[in-house]
């Protein structure tokens, strides 16, 4: 299988809560053991909506990185960095803006949706319109092949794919492409060259996707071949020109929607969250005061877990035995709501305890955290510089 590179970002706009943990971070933890991963703090993206309250961003950046580390994102397995410390993102964003039709950005659904939703803010800015293109630059600059995102972000990845395709179409047509591709085939050695020709024909003549995948994998694994030749061979497989920017796939985060204290999706804007740094006695208090099935007015009134937000938390935190106890006990009024909530309190507390202990260690050692990020930025920057060299080259900017 071809090597996958995973990239994802998060906006630093406040404290992380259990919704982030179950919805995003646990997925990152799994991915970091399976693929090369880059995770970054999207501080410029945060500025598109918080340009008038930059202090929120400043406060959130380091806490967010600490929460990632405390949750188990491992700097030995994943590159952790900050978007604004890799200014190449901005350069690519500018260059991509030259060839991205305005209508592509205007029709991204989040543009109008968010403007309406955040109507208390003036979001008729150039930066907000450009939000998805900046995201495209984030992704394309690392030639990421996989982007784990929630459903709402899918249109941004679709846009990224279109931008990459257009870029390759415009700038991947070098003079004498076919001759150069044919010469690169020879460099594969006779056996592999024959295999390449065979697989290319299987794809181009019969649409054999497996052959395409196998050929891509072979090229990527080829030792001692220049980037340029590899890209020619990859582009030649599909017919067109050189593939400079890679079209990413999106990976929908498995729908593990975390419900909040009121039964709605857990979200800061609903004021129904439990933050990762929530003091544990406050956790217990929040759960104890959660609403339950309104039918249970007296302790002797039976209820229905399906109508109770506490049940949604049992679904996350309780084993089958406890869940059966809740179902039976609630419907027959054998248990009270206070008793029913206790296993949920225990579950959340047990989950948060080790995270908070690790967070405290990192919080006490800001130098360690800054070093981890500095190293990550350095690594990310190296990759970004390589792509920018190629991009400048094909866009005619490498004159001296
Ligand atoms: N827009 C994303 C969000 O709000 C954050 C983000 C910025 C991102 N750049 C990215 C996610 C690149 C994935 C890849 O969640
Ligand atoms: Fe909800 Fe449990 Fe009370 Fe039933 S017993 S209403 S599930 S808290």
């Amino acid at each position: 299988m071809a090597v996958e590179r995973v990239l994802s970002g998060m906006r630093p706009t406040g404290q992380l809560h259990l919704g982030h943990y179950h919805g995003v971070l646990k997925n990152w933890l799994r991915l970091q053991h399976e693929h090369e991963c880059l995770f970054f703090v999207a501080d410029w993206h945060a500025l598109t909506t918080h340009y008038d309250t930059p202090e929120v961003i400043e406060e959130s950046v380091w806490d967010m990185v600490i929460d990632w580390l405390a949750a188990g994102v491992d700097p030995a397995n994943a590159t952790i960095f900050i978007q604004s410390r890799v200014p190449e993102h901005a350069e690519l964003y500018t260059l991509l803006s030259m060839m991205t039709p305005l209508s592509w950005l205007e029709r991204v659904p989040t543009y109008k949706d968010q403007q309406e939703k955040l109507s208390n803010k003036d979001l008729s800015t150039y930066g907000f319109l450009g939000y998805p293109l900046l995201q495209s630059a984030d992704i394309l600059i690392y030639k990421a092949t996989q982007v784990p995102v929630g459903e709402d972000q899918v249109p941004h990845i679709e846009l990224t794919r279109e931008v990459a395709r257009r870029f390759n179409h415009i700038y991947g047509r070098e003079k004498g492409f076919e001759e150069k591709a044919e010469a690169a085939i020879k460099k594969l050695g006779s056996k592999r060259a024959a295999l390449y020709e065979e697989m290319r024909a299987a794809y181009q003549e019969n649409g054999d996707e497996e052959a395409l995948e196998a050929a891509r994998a072979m090229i990527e694994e080829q030792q001692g071949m220049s980037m340029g030749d590899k890209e020619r061979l990859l582009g030649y497989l599909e017919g067109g020109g050189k593939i400079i920017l890679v079209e990413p796939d999106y990976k929908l985060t498995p729908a593990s929607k975390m419900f909040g204290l009121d039964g709605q999706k857990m979200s800061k804007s609903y004021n129904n969250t439990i933050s990762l740094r929530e003091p544990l006695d406050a956790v217990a208090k929040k759960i104890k005061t959660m609403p339950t099935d309104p039918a249970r007015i007296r302790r002797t009134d039976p209820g229905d877990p399906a109508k109770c937000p506490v049940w949604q938390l049992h679904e996350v935190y309780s084993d089958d035995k406890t869940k059966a106890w809740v179902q039976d006990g609630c419907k027959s009024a054998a248990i009270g709501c206070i008793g029913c909530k206790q296993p949920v309190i225990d579950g959340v507390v047990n989950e948060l305890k080790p995270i908070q202990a690790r967070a405290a260690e990192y919080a006490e050692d800001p130098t360690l955290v800054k070093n981890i990020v500095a190293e990550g930025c350095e690594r990310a920057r190296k990759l970004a510089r390589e792509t920018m060299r190629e991009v400048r080259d094909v866009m005619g900017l490498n004159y001296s």
Side-chain angles (χ1 to χ4, degrees), residues 146-157:
Q146 261 192 42
V147 185
V149 288
E151 194 111 41
D152 61 315
Q153 297 289 309
V154 170
H156 297 176
I157 313 302

Side-chain angles (χ1 to χ4, degrees), residues 292-293 296 303-305 308 310-311 314 326 329-330 335-337 340-341:
T292 61
D293 178 357
R296 296 207 71 181
D304 180 1
C308 177
V310 178
W311 170 249
H314 274 293
V326 173
C330 181
I335 61 171
C337 292
C340 179
K341 286 173 170 178

Side-chain angles (χ1 to χ4, degrees), residues 48-60:
T48 62
T49 49
H50 289 62
Y51 56 84
D52 53 353
T53 49
E55 60 281 358
V56 176
I57 299 169
E58 230 175 333
E59 279 165 22
S60 311

Side-chain angles (χ1 to χ4, degrees), residues 181-397:
E182 289 292 342
I185 294 176
K186 296 218 170 72
K187 294 182 198 163
L188 287 169
S190 59
K191 239 193 187 149
R192 283 173 178 238
L195 207 55
Y196 176 93
E197 304 268 28
E198 203 176 289
M199 292 189 287
R200 176 169 181 260
Y203 175 68
Q204 293 200 346
E205 286 157 28
N206 307 318
D208 184 342
E209 296 275 348
E210 271 175 39
L212 177 66
E213 271 310 305
R216 280 185 182 149
M218 182 179 85
I219 295 159
E220 265 150 31
E221 281 157 20
Q222 179 74 15
Q223 304 282 325
M225 175 172 267
S226 73
M227 238 351 193
D229 273 344
K230 279 193 182 182
E231 277 156 3
R232 282 178 197 108
L233 289 180
L234 289 171
Y236 199 45
L237 279 173
E238 289 169 87
K242 229 164 112 166
I243 295 198
I244 301 149
L245 299 179
V246 175
E247 283 180 48
D249 280 326
Y250 55 83
K251 255 260 150 95
L252 265 191
T253 305
S256 53
K257 189 152 129 198
M258 180 71 191
F259 291 96
L261 295 164
D262 58 355
Q264 300 186 78
K265 180 183 170 201
M266 190 178 281
S267 158
K268 192 176 56 177
S269 43
Y270 298 143
N271 204 5
N272 63 357
T273 61
I274 295 177
S275 86
L276 294 185
R277 308 283 188 95
E278 196 92 39
L280 298 178
D281 50 349
V283 170
K285 196 164 155 205
K286 276 192 171 176
I287 296 172
K288 278 183 186 153
T289 52
M290 267 179 81
T292 61
D293 178 357
R296 296 207 71 181
I297 299 164
R298 282 172 302 260
R299 164 73 177 75
T300 48
D301 294 329
D304 180 1
K307 295 179 183 144
C308 177
V310 178
W311 170 249
Q312 291 167 333
L313 297 182
H314 274 293
E315 294 257 52
V316 177
Y317 290 99
S318 297
D319 57 19
D320 288 345
K321 205 172 132 218
T322 309
K323 283 194 266 189
W325 171 78
V326 173
Q327 285 290 340
D328 297 343
C330 181
K331 288 176 183 162
S332 64
I335 61 171
C337 292
I338 310 256
C340 179
K341 286 173 170 178
Q342 194 56 48
V344 171
I345 295 175
D346 295 342
V348 175
V349 166
N350 287 335
E351 183 169 73
L352 289 183
K353 231 186 203 160
I355 295 178
Q356 293 189 356
R358 281 193 298 263
E361 284 174 32
Y362 284 112
E364 270 167 34
D365 195 350
T367 316
L368 172 64
V369 177
K370 294 202 171 168
N371 283 342
I372 289 170
V373 170
E375 244 173 66
C377 291
E378 201 39 57
R379 243 185 297 169
R381 224 173 155 189
K382 233 187 217 152
L383 298 171
R385 279 203 194 106
E386 271 175 40
T387 304
M388 284 320 297
R389 210 170 298 136
E390 289 177 76
V391 167
R392 281 186 217 116
D393 207 15
V394 296
M395 289 187 83
L397 295 167

